[in-house]
Amino acid sequence: MRELFFKLLEMSHFNTGIKVTAFSIPHIVYLLLIFGSIIGGYFYLRRKDDAVKEKAMRLLAYALVFSYLSDFFCHEFVYGGLNTDKLPFHICTVLCPLMAIAQFNRNGNKIKEPVVILSVLAPMMYICYPAAIGDGEPWCYQAVQTMFYHGVLMAWGILNLALGIVKPNIRNCWKTGVLLVAITLWAKLGNELMDHNWFFLNEDALYIGLVENGIIPKWLLMVINPVVFFLAALAVYGVYYLLSGKKKAASKV
């Protein structure tokens, strides 16, 4: 049985040499599949009643939690042991428990708006530039699980906004800022305890050596990263208001 799982979850099944690198054909195919599924889901759900929409969001939440937790049981066969990079200290991985709280806890609505905003941003950044997806073939477990996880997280965020389940208010943008500060401090704690690079606080996200080459001090990343995400969050608010305004204008015609 153990050898069977090593075979099923191996990086290469056909020795094609094909990898998911940024803007390669496999990457573009993944982009089309993920964004196409989200768009299709929106058009399918947009005229459904609220109960159906909520059920769909719960199903996405269940799928995300299952994907995240079950992955740890596969690390032995894929990575030869625990892959510490997947512990909940990166913004995308910590959003899994935060999303579950927002979706299922009776007090989850208190954090749902900032969690939804970041669930749009963080996985979208990764999906558009999958720098750490690994060297496996596009159809291997590692690639499929990684893109599935980020795709489901982004779908949950986008559909909550697009279907009107969560209606962002720019006056609440400070909540996203507070959450980003908390995530930064949480990631910093993980980095100090385990000498890692969660939330890219020890080296820049593109690994071009901004810290290593002395271009910027490492502590500055604790400021730059949450600020960049917060500015991107404001852009999400702007896009939401723009599209909502156009939708209201079209409905009056």
Side-chain angles (χ1 to χ4, degrees):
M1 180 66 74
R2 180 176 171 83
E3 293 303 318
L4 173 62
F5 272 82
F6 273 115
K7 186 66 177 177
L8 289 174
L9 303 179
E10 65 184 358
M11 298 292 190
S12 175
H13 294 92
F14 306 107
N15 297 317
T16 62
I18 303 173
K19 302 176 184 178
V20 182
T21 55
F23 313 115
S24 63
I25 292 178
H27 178 212
I28 293 171
V29 171
Y30 266 117
L31 287 175
L32 292 174
L33 287 173
I34 292 170
F35 283 101
S37 297
I38 293 172
I39 293 170
Y42 167 72
F43 280 106
Y44 174 76
L45 292 167
R46 63 175 179 162
R47 299 191 187 281
K48 302 291 184 180
D49 58 42
D50 291 343
V52 174
K53 294 176 182 178
E54 186 63 27
K55 184 178 180 179
M57 296 305 99
R58 293 176 70 88
L59 287 174
L60 286 175
Y62 283 129
L64 188 75
V65 172
F66 177 80
S67 175
Y68 184 64
L69 294 180
S70 64
D71 183 50
F72 284 97
F73 293 91
C74 300
H75 285 196
E76 172 68 18
F77 308 104
V78 180
Y79 309 105
L82 177 66
N83 182 357
T84 55
D85 198 51
K86 294 200 173 187
L87 291 173
F89 290 98
H90 268 313
I91 187 167
C92 285
T93 51
V94 78
L95 280 171
C96 180
L98 290 175
M99 177 279 309
I101 294 171
Q103 182 66 55
F104 299 117
N105 189 279
R106 62 181 180 180
N107 296 316
N109 281 332
K110 294 179 180 179
I111 65 167
K112 196 166 187 178
E113 182 175 324
V115 171
V116 164
I117 295 294
L118 293 183
S119 293
V120 174
L121 283 176
M124 184 181 295
M125 290 178 178
Y126 182 87
I127 288 170
C128 290
Y129 191 81
I133 198 170
D135 296 326
E137 293 173 328
W139 43 81
C140 76
Y141 169 81
Q142 182 192 24
V144 172
Q145 192 278 333
T146 302
M147 296 304 275
F148 176 83
Y149 174 86
H150 288 85
V152 171
L153 178 59
M154 185 173 68
W156 181 84
I158 290 177
L159 290 176
N160 264 294
L161 296 180
L163 296 173
I165 299 172
V166 173
K167 298 178 180 179
N169 186 333
I170 191 63
R171 294 179 179 177
N172 294 328
C173 68
W174 63 270
K175 294 182 180 180
T176 302
V178 171
L179 183 56
L180 283 168
V181 171
I183 290 173
T184 301
L185 295 175
W186 174 244
K188 182 63 175 178
L189 174 63
N191 291 339
E192 292 297 318
L193 292 175
M194 292 180 241
D195 191 25
H196 204 67
N197 188 32
W198 284 299
F199 201 27
F200 307 106
L201 298 179
N202 289 336
E203 187 52 87
D204 62 276
L206 299 179
Y207 289 98
I208 58 178
L210 295 180
V211 172
E212 182 181 0
N213 296 323
I215 299 173
I216 62 172
K218 185 169 69 173
W219 65 264
L220 194 57
L221 291 175
M222 288 192 66
V223 178
I224 293 174
N225 291 359
V227 167
V228 168
F229 267 92
F230 184 70
L231 293 175
L234 293 180
V236 172
Y237 277 100
V239 171
Y240 174 81
Y241 279 119
L242 177 64
L243 295 179
S244 297
K246 288 185 176 181
K247 186 177 180 180
K248 289 179 181 178
S251 64
K252 294 179 181 179
V253 175

